[in-house]
Amino acid sequence: MYCHLRRIATAAALFTCLPAHALDFDFDIVDAPNQNDFREVSKDVGALLNGKALTPAEPGGITGFGIGAFAIYVPTDDSGAWQRLTGEDIDEIGLVGLIAQKGLPFGVDVGASYATVPGSDGRLLGAELRYALIDGGIATPAVGLRGSFTSLSGLDDVDYDSYGLDISVSKGFGPLTPYAGVGYVWGQLEADPQFGLEDEDVEESRVFVGLRVSAPIGITPEYERVGDRDSFNLRFGLAF
């Protein structure tokens, strides 16, 4: 538990310590790369760049609107694979960004996000569509279905796209709203053809838990498990 809290704190530090040295990397592939190393790295990349939930399941409603900043922190599983693939010692990777969500009629919410990878020119665009299966109320939890898409650009050597689908449940207790969900992510990491690497498909199950703390500026820490990789996520923002 202490280790998880420390890593969420690291995600928080990304807001104020950019570029954080430990997370400062540019994805430049070395000559004669190894396919196995590319495969291992793709799992870390998939855990970082899939569309995060970052909010409970309850719908925003037709007048609802939310905007915030977020940070994602992922410890790499095999730093040796990163070193052999990029020539850099990379133990952890992260990104920071902005997110906006808008409620629509009939229990539908839409969202969009923009994020950058510290120390690189990488840019991640994201979009999501949510549908409230159960709106939730005083005595009942909310249940929501969400589809997401992300696309990485701006790096010379790699591209990444992902699609995600998940279902989540949440229940408010005063200013606290815990939530949890399960889903699946489909992604693909593609290297520039000059390196002779085959595309790596990232197809993994995912589970996540989070807690929204409503305040003048709300805070939402979240833990996610994507396949066998950990992701520590944090959002600050306003909701109306």
Side-chain angles (χ1 to χ4, degrees):
M1 176 63 72
Y2 170 77
C3 185
H4 283 10
L5 291 175
R6 179 179 63 82
R7 286 170 172 169
I8 289 176
T10 301
L14 285 175
F15 285 115
T16 57
C17 299
L18 289 178
H21 178 71
L23 298 163
D24 186 359
F25 75 97
D26 201 355
F27 205 127
D28 293 328
I29 297 177
V30 301
D31 294 334
N34 180 278
Q35 187 71 41
N36 290 333
D37 291 335
F38 190 58
R39 181 175 303 113
E40 284 300 306
V41 164
S42 72
K43 296 177 182 180
D44 295 331
V45 171
L48 178 70
L49 300 183
N50 74 83
K52 309 299 183 183
L54 295 171
T55 193
E58 61 192 42
I62 191 170
T63 62
F65 178 74
I67 188 169
F70 66 93
I72 313 298
Y73 167 79
V74 172
T76 61
D77 188 70
D78 186 348
S79 59
W82 279 90
Q83 204 285 328
R84 291 187 296 271
L85 187 70
T86 69
E88 298 184 54
D89 294 322
I90 298 173
D91 297 318
E92 46 206 350
I93 53 178
L95 58 81
V96 293
L98 300 173
I99 185 171
Q101 293 161 318
K102 179 68 180 76
L104 300 174
F106 310 113
V108 174
D109 288 70
V110 294
S113 62
Y114 173 83
T116 61
V117 179
S120 81
D121 295 324
R123 301 180 299 274
L124 185 73
L125 299 178
E128 66 175 23
L129 178 67
R130 297 172 179 262
Y131 176 69
L133 300 174
I134 302 175
D135 287 349
I138 296 176
T140 58
V143 179
L145 185 67
R146 184 180 75 105
S148 63
F149 168 76
T150 63
S151 180
L152 177 70
S153 62
L155 299 180
D156 293 333
D157 292 352
V158 295
D159 291 306
Y160 180 82
D161 294 319
S162 79
Y163 299 87
L165 185 66
D166 57 67
I167 187 170
S168 61
V169 59
S170 65
K171 179 70 177 73
F173 301 93
L176 305 179
T177 305
Y179 63 93
V182 298
Y184 206 82
V185 60
W186 298 265
Q188 185 176 79
L189 184 65
E190 179 181 351
D192 189 283
Q194 66 175 307
F195 299 109
L197 293 168
E198 297 181 1
D199 297 347
E200 285 294 341
D201 293 327
V202 180
E203 299 182 359
E204 302 283 5
S205 60
R206 56 191 294 263
V207 297
F208 55 90
V209 294
L211 176 67
R212 183 175 68 186
V213 182
S214 298
I217 297 179
I219 179 172
T220 305
E222 179 181 279
Y223 167 73
E224 180 186 34
R225 182 78 169 175
V226 184
D228 59 358
R229 302 302 202 259
D230 295 320
S231 177
F232 302 89
N233 317 324
L234 188 65
R235 172 178 175 169
F236 292 95
L238 301 172
F240 307 96

